């Protein structure tokens, strides 16, 4: 890993400064600050964080929930693992800020089954934050001695957090079981309720009817960590980084054919050329942006930017060198989706299997151009008709590889060898 965790912005943020600042504000002002920052979900969808928080805040219910989606299952993504292991306090602080903003009293970390080794570390953080601490507000605006004295001893989780009467919030950890589809927020909620992990029909949306029927905000690990940073440093700081429509820094997981794979922090809007230079992959053939469900970008388009308005990503960057067979890449991703489809809706269940059959025909040199066009139309139908993000995005890699590397795919002999 070439980017040490202590070089990320997260290391420079004063612990609990964001929470102190948030609790000095009315809930509406906290959400307004998140809105002003332009923070969008870092899981890949790019939905404005403040909109989720605002809708959940407006919903009426005795119970509300904050769920941290730590089910990092996208192939090529491992940044959340680093954030949780090195900056778990920041994520939990972000959950507490979100709880204050929407009026939640319970939080859940849905931790990927393969990350079970992180559970003890996170449980220790939770226990430490429930204890009484001696401290003071890091904000000089807290001149009121009475308030300062009341907060001299405080707890960061549990009842009356930081001396705020009535702000009761605690967090538990639940383990996932390795199903890719549970990265989708409604499938995750089904799993939390003890059901088979399958996406729900929407509406209603989780912010209105989520976990056990109560308003629920589901945010990605990285999103919650950046929310803490926004509250600690202010919306203007966050907006000063990145692009106008994609503000802020972003954490990337870089793997594949590069000299320096690892976890990196770059501003949103960085071009692929710039990123590949940093990781030692200037001669790459293509880059898969966004993991298996993302899109394949060829070398001719490396001047494109990693931003929600151009090439969006949850953070996975897989580099393919000059010697890579792009048809083998497409097969690898489709085999993954055939295995991981929950089977609930026909477009996803049957569509991924048909696309994989098409790849096998291409490998044998037996796929006509007309049939390849039919497969592409099937992929486009899946994008429109599948029930959840898994089925809607699973054809992306196949379609982009067909579009950008058609000559390589079609130039096969009957024995599967690529024609030169």
């Amino acid at each position: 890993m070439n980017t040490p965790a202590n070089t990320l912005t997260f290391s420079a943020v004063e612990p609990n400064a964001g929470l102190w600042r948030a609790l000095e504000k009315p809930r509406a002002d906290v959400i307004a600050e998140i809105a002003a920052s332009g923070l969008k979900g870092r899981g890949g969808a790019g939905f404005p964080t403040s909109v989720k928080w605002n809708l959940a805040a407006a919903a009426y219910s005795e119970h509300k929930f904050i769920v941290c989606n730590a089910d990092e299952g996208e192939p090529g993504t491992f940044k959340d693992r680093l954030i949780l292991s090195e900056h778990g306090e920041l994520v939990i602080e972000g959950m507490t800020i979100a709880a204050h903003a929407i009026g939640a009293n319970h939080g859940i970390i849905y931790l990927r089954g393969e990350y079970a080794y992180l559970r003890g570390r996170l449980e220790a953080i939770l226990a430490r934050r429930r204890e009484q601490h001696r401290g003071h507000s890091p904000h000089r605006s807290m001149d009121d001695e009475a308030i300062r004295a009341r907060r001299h001893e405080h707890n960061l989780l549990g009842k009356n957090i930081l001396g705020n009467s009535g702000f009761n919030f605690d967090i538990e950890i639940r383990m996932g079981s390795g199903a890719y589809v549970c990265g989708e927020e409604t499938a995750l909620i089904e799993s939390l309720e003890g059901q088979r992990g399958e996406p729900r029909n929407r509406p209603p949306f989780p912010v209105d009817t989520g976990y056990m029927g109560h308003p629920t905000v589901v945010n990605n690990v990285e999103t919650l960590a950046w929310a803490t940073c926004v509250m600690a440093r202010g919306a203007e700081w966050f907006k000063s980084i990145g692009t106008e429509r994609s503000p802020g820094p972003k954490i990337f997981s870089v793997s594949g054919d590069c000299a320096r794979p690892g976890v990196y922090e770059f501003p949103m809007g960085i071009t692929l050329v710039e990123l590949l230079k940093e990781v030692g992959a200037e001669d790459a053939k293509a880059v898969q942006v966004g993991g298996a469900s993302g899109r394949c970008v060829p070398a001719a388009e490396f001047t494109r930017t990693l931003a929600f308005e151009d090439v969006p990503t949850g953070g996975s960057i897989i580099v393919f060198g000059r010697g890579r067979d792009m048809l083998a890449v497409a097969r690898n991703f489709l085999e993954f989706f055939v295995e991981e489809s929950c089977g609930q809706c026909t477009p996803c269940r049957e569509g991924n299997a048909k696309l994989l059959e098409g790849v096998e025909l291409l490998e044998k040199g037996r796929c006509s151009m007309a049939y390849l066009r039919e497969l592409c139309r099937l992929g486009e139908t899946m994008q429109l008709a599948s029930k959840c993000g898994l089925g809607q995005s699973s054809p992306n890699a196949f379609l982009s590889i067909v579009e950008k590397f058609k000559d390589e795919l079609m130039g096969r002999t009957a024995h599967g060898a690529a024609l030169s």
Side-chain angles (χ1 to χ4, degrees):
M1 193 163 291
N2 287 291
T3 302
N6 60 9
T7 66
L8 301 179
T9 295
F10 298 149
S11 297
V13 175
E14 184 179 357
N16 301 309
L19 181 58
W20 276 108
R21 187 160 178 260
L23 294 185
E24 291 172 3
K25 294 172 176 284
R27 293 174 182 176
D29 289 357
V30 173
I31 296 174
E33 179 121 19
I34 295 294
S37 75
L39 174 63
K40 295 180 178 178
R42 289 318 203 230
F47 192 79
T49 302
S50 63
V51 174
K52 268 191 183 181
W53 290 16
N54 200 36
L55 290 170
Y60 177 78
S61 177
E62 185 178 353
H63 300 287
K64 296 182 182 181
F65 294 86
I66 299 294
V67 175
C68 172
N69 184 351
D71 191 47
E72 187 177 40
E74 187 68 49
T77 307
F78 42 88
K79 63 179 179 59
D80 288 352
R81 180 182 63 189
L82 180 138
I83 296 171
L84 287 169
S85 62
E86 303 296 334
H87 303 286
E89 289 265 10
L90 213 61
V91 178
I92 291 168
E93 185 181 344
M95 293 179 71
T96 313
I97 292 169
H100 168 62
I102 75 164
N105 46 22
H106 196 87
I108 301 172
I109 298 174
Y110 187 85
L111 185 63
R112 178 178 175 175
E114 290 85 347
Y115 293 172
Y117 68 96
L118 292 176
R119 181 167 188 167
R121 187 178 306 188
L122 294 172
E123 293 280 14
I125 294 173
L126 294 176
R128 199 160 56 239
R129 294 178 73 85
R130 292 183 188 111
E131 295 173 353
Q132 293 289 318
H133 294 264
R134 295 182 67 80
H136 59 84
S137 167
H139 295 286
R140 295 174 183 171
S141 61
M142 289 263 321
D143 292 331
D144 188 326
E145 288 300 327
I147 293 177
R148 195 188 300 271
R150 180 163 58 86
R151 292 180 172 175
H152 193 64
E153 289 199 1
H154 55 262
N155 54 303
L156 300 167
L157 282 177
K159 293 185 177 179
N160 304 320
I161 293 173
L162 293 182
N164 282 263
S165 179
F167 180 31
N168 307 322
F169 178 70
D170 210 337
I171 298 172
E172 64 174 307
I173 299 174
R174 303 271 192 93
M175 299 304 299
S177 298
Y180 174 80
V181 73
C182 286
E184 197 276 342
E185 62 180 4
T186 61
L188 185 156
I189 290 170
E190 285 285 303
S191 174
L192 284 176
E193 293 180 356
Q195 313 297 330
R196 178 183 168 94
E198 292 182 341
R200 294 176 175 175
N201 290 322
R202 293 187 282 185
F205 294 95
V207 289
D208 178 68
T209 307
Y211 178 64
M212 305 303 285
H214 298 292
T216 302
V217 165
V218 181
N219 280 143
N220 169 264
V221 167
E222 186 186 343
T223 306
L224 290 163
W226 285 125
T228 300
C229 297
V230 168
M231 292 311 303
R233 293 190 165 188
E236 288 304 316
W237 162 77
F238 195 77
K239 283 177 63 177
S240 69
I241 303 166
T243 71
E244 182 176 355
R245 294 170 60 186
S246 300
K250 176 83 186 79
I251 310 297
F252 295 89
S253 310
V254 182
S255 61
D257 301 320
C258 58
R260 295 180 291 278
V263 174
Y264 290 82
E265 178 182 321
F266 295 120
M268 292 292 287
I270 186 174
T271 66
L272 278 164
V273 168
E274 294 167 329
L275 184 148
L276 292 171
K277 182 179 179 182
E278 291 292 329
V279 306
E282 293 91 334
D283 194 36
K285 176 181 182 178
V287 175
Q288 182 71 17
V289 179
S293 61
R295 68 179 72 177
C296 190
V297 181
E301 299 179 13
F302 281 173
T303 55
R304 296 185 68 173
T305 58
L306 298 171
F308 295 114
E309 64 270 25
D310 191 2
V311 184
T313 176
S316 171
I317 302 291
I318 305 174
V319 182
F320 300 121
R322 292 288 168 183
R324 292 289 174 184
D325 181 343
M326 299 312 293
L327 190 54
V329 171
R331 168 190 267 278
N332 182 274
F333 289 150
L334 284 169
E335 287 176 339
F336 173 79
F337 285 120
V338 169
E339 181 73 22
E340 292 293 340
S341 172
C342 75
Q344 191 182 25
C345 74
T346 304
C348 177
R349 183 185 65 241
E350 302 297 331
N352 283 307
K354 294 302 292 183
L355 293 183
L356 180 57
E357 288 177 13
V359 167
E360 291 168 351
L361 291 175
L362 284 164
E363 289 175 334
K364 297 172 183 175
R366 293 170 47 199
C367 183
S368 67
M369 187 61 77
Y371 188 59
L372 185 58
R373 283 195 289 269
E374 283 190 31
L375 290 173
C376 290
R377 284 196 290 272
L378 170 63
E380 292 163 358
T381 301
M382 291 168 63
Q383 290 175 323
L384 294 172
S386 295
K387 184 173 180 178
C388 78
L390 189 157
Q392 292 163 7
S393 61
S394 62
N396 290 350
F398 173 82
L399 292 172
S400 56
I401 288 173
V402 169
E403 179 187 356
K404 307 298 182 184
F405 298 93
K406 187 174 294 180
D407 291 345
E408 180 180 325
L409 268 56
M410 296 303 292
R412 303 270 165 164
T413 69
H415 303 290
L419 296 172
S420 59

